[in-house]
Amino acid sequence: MHSALLAWLANTLRAYPELAVFFALAAGFAVGSWKMAGFTLGNVTATLLAGVLIGQLGITVGGPIKSAFFLLFLFAVGYGVGPQFFRGLGKEGPRQIVFSLVVLALCLIVPVLCAMAAGLDVGYAAGLYAGSQTISAAIGVATDQIGRLGYPPAQAKAYADAVPIGYAVTYLFGTIGSAIVLAQLGPKLLGIDLAAACAEYERKMGAGSGGLDPGSFSAYRAIELRAYRVDAGSPLIGSEVRQLFPGMRVFIERLRRADRMIDAVGDTVLSAGDVIAVSGPRQILVGEIEAYAPEVHDAELLSLPATVVDVFVTSRSLSGKTLREIAEEPFARGVYLRKITRQMVELPILPESEVLRGDILTLAGSVRHVDAAVVALGVADRPVESTDLMTAAGGILLGGLIGALSVNWHGVPIGLSTSGGALLAGLVLGYLRTVRPTFGGIPAPALVLMNTLGLNAFIAIVGINAGPGFVAGVQQIGLSLFLWGAVATSVPLVLAVLLGHYVFKFHPAILFGACAGVRTTTAALGMIQDAARSRVPALGYGMPYAIGNTLLTILGMAVVLWMSR
């Protein structure tokens, strides 16, 4: 009975190979999140291995569908990092850019030298590069480039099938080893107490200095709205509300004067008998404000419309300013900052933290104040159901057409390829969104779906097609490839730590985040933050990540061109 069912399943998957792709996706995502000794295999690697197992049934999935999914993924990657790739020039920006380019050169040279020393062919070399540097997208651009070099079809297929083998063998240490080198070995190599360094950096950035100035953004911690009565003789009478409660991070939102409700603005002056609605952290309202005015119950006054909104920062004038500087802007009054997100990573909220175009700020406060802040900062990134597919599809088409152009250099075709063109189109359109926010709107959930589905469907097809020769390849070259992959992972990171500390003079608190960003390894960033007991390392992650996520992918072509010679 079981054998008959399995035979029916195998025959059905052979007849309908598109179902095999979804089978690999479902199995990969089911296994990829399992934790083993604190680490996960990851959805991409698990999907690849699931595809390999399904591929043992002798299933072949056509090439165009694989390429279509990959182009979708690369466009989403470019669109997501575009704002920081072109505009992420904060105070540390120029140094971080040069540092990233130097480290990326090491991430190319060291794996290639390892591949040459191991005697690997071009396919295994590209796989070693992609796995040791944990850049799954390099599988696609490397395979694409192999197909453009004019090899006989059988040889080109053999090289292309070797790429996922090299990736699978080297990826596990690429992920775990990167985290260990950056979170544990790196601080010991420099003789640094990472937790103490981050605590010192937080003090340098203004933490524990009495908070931000009045009227500032502030970390949202149990914000409440309470009513107080201004009695005759109160010190609150006669002063503009912007001058009241200095350093307490509380705001007078509105007031009742006789039978009228008045929205408070910065120059509003209080009078005896006013009842005021004050917002702020609960501990300050309870412990401090009653010294100035007794609390009263006024349900109508406190029925103040409030909101929480994600804001996509597009303002050119505010980009690069610190939270302390933005706090001095009139629109910041009465607004509370709950979160700063850059490249899908949450940053610490500190007075000297910089805000860059493309960041997403989560703001809380009264509707009136938050709406004013949204206008000044950029656009509200509210959930929407529609995606501008015309822009997305047109961008992929135009980028692919440009990428398809190539020039021959000593008989070798050199060009972006359709993959590189789609990535470039995403970068340009992602940047243009910071200039014209209403152009090419792709909601964040849609972008995540394009990214996740595009990459993993592509990886599933790669695994299915490479399945028949995968096991033999691993048996033939597995241990040697694993060891050389460990070298290719560790050496660039160790050199990056030393260069960042001694040459580029990065503060240790952000150095390791910058190294993780160049290598686009979010898992390592998480381990670094755990070791530091702080989110501060994320401040070094954004700009290097934008550069690394783009160039590490393109360098997959460089590996193929180098090894093919």
Side-chain angles (χ1 to χ4, degrees):
M1 179 66 179
H2 290 296
S3 60
L5 180 60
L6 291 175
W8 171 83
L9 178 61
N11 289 331
T12 302
L13 293 178
R14 292 189 193 101
Y16 303 98
E18 62 273 17
L19 297 181
V21 177
F22 289 100
F23 188 7
L25 286 170
F29 275 73
V31 174
S33 58
W34 291 357
K35 279 197 173 183
M36 297 173 288
F39 289 93
T40 59
L41 190 60
N43 293 328
V44 175
T45 303
T47 299
L48 173 64
L49 296 178
V52 167
L53 290 175
I54 295 169
Q56 304 306 310
L57 299 175
I59 300 168
T60 301
V61 183
I65 187 173
K66 178 181 71 172
S67 300
F69 276 118
F70 191 59
L71 293 180
L72 187 69
F73 159 70
L74 285 178
F75 176 83
V77 168
Y79 191 92
V81 304
Q84 261 75 47
F85 187 82
F86 289 111
R87 282 285 185 183
L89 292 177
K91 295 175 183 176
E92 291 282 353
R95 272 200 305 163
Q96 290 184 2
I97 291 173
V98 176
F99 172 74
S100 299
L101 294 176
V102 171
V103 175
L104 287 170
L106 294 172
C107 290
L108 169 65
I109 294 170
V110 174
V112 168
L113 293 179
C114 288
M116 295 172 66
L120 302 179
D121 64 33
V122 63
Y124 283 117
L128 179 147
Y129 165 78
S132 66
Q133 308 309 307
T134 63
I135 186 72
S136 308
I139 296 176
V141 296
T143 303
D144 191 16
Q145 188 62 41
I146 287 172
R148 291 156 56 93
L149 291 179
Y151 290 117
Q155 187 178 20
K157 185 180 186 309
Y159 286 156
D161 288 348
V163 176
I165 298 174
Y167 171 85
V169 172
T170 57
Y171 176 82
L172 188 59
F173 185 87
T175 300
I176 298 173
S178 297
I180 292 173
V181 168
L182 292 178
Q184 299 178 9
L185 178 61
K188 292 178 181 177
L189 189 64
L190 300 180
I192 289 170
D193 183 333
L194 190 55
C198 287
E200 186 271 330
Y201 194 79
E202 288 181 6
R203 291 191 293 272
K204 175 183 174 183
M205 295 286 285
S209 61
L212 298 177
D213 296 335
S216 69
F217 293 105
S218 56
Y220 184 92
R221 295 291 185 271
I223 300 302
E224 293 187 357
L225 185 68
R226 297 192 174 209
Y228 299 89
R229 186 181 65 247
V230 180
D231 292 331
S234 170
L236 303 181
I237 297 173
S239 297
E240 295 181 348
V241 296
R242 67 164 62 94
Q243 299 171 346
L244 301 177
F245 313 123
M248 290 188 186
R249 300 191 301 177
V250 296
F251 308 99
I252 297 177
E253 301 284 351
R254 66 177 178 175
L255 57 95
R256 179 193 294 278
R257 180 169 293 166
D259 294 328
R260 292 187 301 142
M261 292 286 187
I262 301 173
D263 288 329
V265 294
D267 58 0
T268 298
V269 177
L270 299 183
S271 302
D274 289 346
V275 180
I276 57 176
V278 185
S279 68
R282 181 180 184 278
Q283 65 272 22
I284 294 180
L285 296 181
V286 172
E288 301 288 343
I289 303 304
E290 284 199 2
Y292 298 89
E295 185 173 5
V296 297
H297 177 70
D298 191 328
E300 184 182 6
L301 179 67
L302 296 179
S303 297
L304 188 69
T307 187
V308 177
V309 175
D310 288 336
V311 183
F312 185 82
V313 178
T314 63
S315 171
R316 186 188 303 271
S317 61
L318 295 176
S319 182
K321 287 193 174 183
T322 66
L323 290 179
R324 188 185 296 280
E325 291 171 327
I326 293 176
E328 299 173 358
E329 301 289 338
F331 68 80
R333 182 179 182 276
V335 179
Y336 299 90
L337 178 61
R338 298 183 67 172
K339 187 166 62 174
I340 307 175
T341 305
R342 181 178 301 159
Q343 306 293 4
M344 296 181 289
V345 173
E346 186 175 346
L347 303 183
I349 297 175
L350 298 168
E352 300 304 319
S353 294
E354 291 182 70
V355 173
L356 302 177
R357 292 176 81 181
D359 287 351
I360 295 177
L361 307 184
T362 303
L363 305 182
S366 68
V367 171
R368 175 170 62 99
H369 288 142
V370 169
D371 285 349
V374 169
V375 171
L377 288 165
V379 293
D381 195 23
R382 293 187 171 94
V384 294
E385 296 182 357
S386 61
T387 298
D388 189 348
L389 281 178
M390 182 195 72
T391 299
I396 294 173
L397 171 63
L398 182 59
L401 291 174
I402 294 173
L405 302 174
S406 63
V407 296
N408 281 319
W409 182 66
H410 297 290
V412 177
I414 305 294
L416 282 175
S417 79
T418 55
S419 304
L423 179 62
L424 178 63
L427 286 169
V428 172
L429 291 176
Y431 163 69
L432 288 178
R433 190 191 171 207
T434 66
V435 179
R436 296 185 178 275
T438 57
F439 169 78
I442 302 178
L447 197 65
V448 171
L449 178 63
M450 291 168 62
N451 190 311
T452 305
L453 179 62
L455 175 61
N456 285 282
F458 165 79
I459 289 294
I461 297 170
V462 167
I464 290 169
N465 289 339
F470 191 93
V471 176
V474 171
Q475 291 174 339
Q476 176 184 350
I477 201 168
L479 180 60
S480 171
L481 187 60
F482 176 84
L483 294 176
W484 281 112
V487 174
T489 294
S490 304
V491 171
L493 287 177
V494 170
L495 294 176
V497 168
L498 296 174
L499 287 170
H501 183 69
Y502 292 108
V503 177
F504 289 88
K505 307 293 185 183
F506 289 128
H507 192 285
I510 66 170
L511 167 61
F512 299 100
C515 293
V518 177
R519 276 286 314 283
T520 68
T521 172
T522 308
L525 176 64
M527 193 168 176
I528 292 165
Q529 290 178 319
D530 287 343
R533 299 191 293 277
S534 170
R535 282 202 178 100
V536 163
L539 291 173
Y541 186 82
M543 167 56 74
Y545 175 85
I547 296 174
N549 206 20
T550 304
L551 296 188
L552 277 175
T553 300
I554 295 173
L555 290 179
M557 292 189 291
V559 173
V560 172
L561 292 172
W562 191 340
M563 293 298 297
S564 67
R565 295 183 59 81

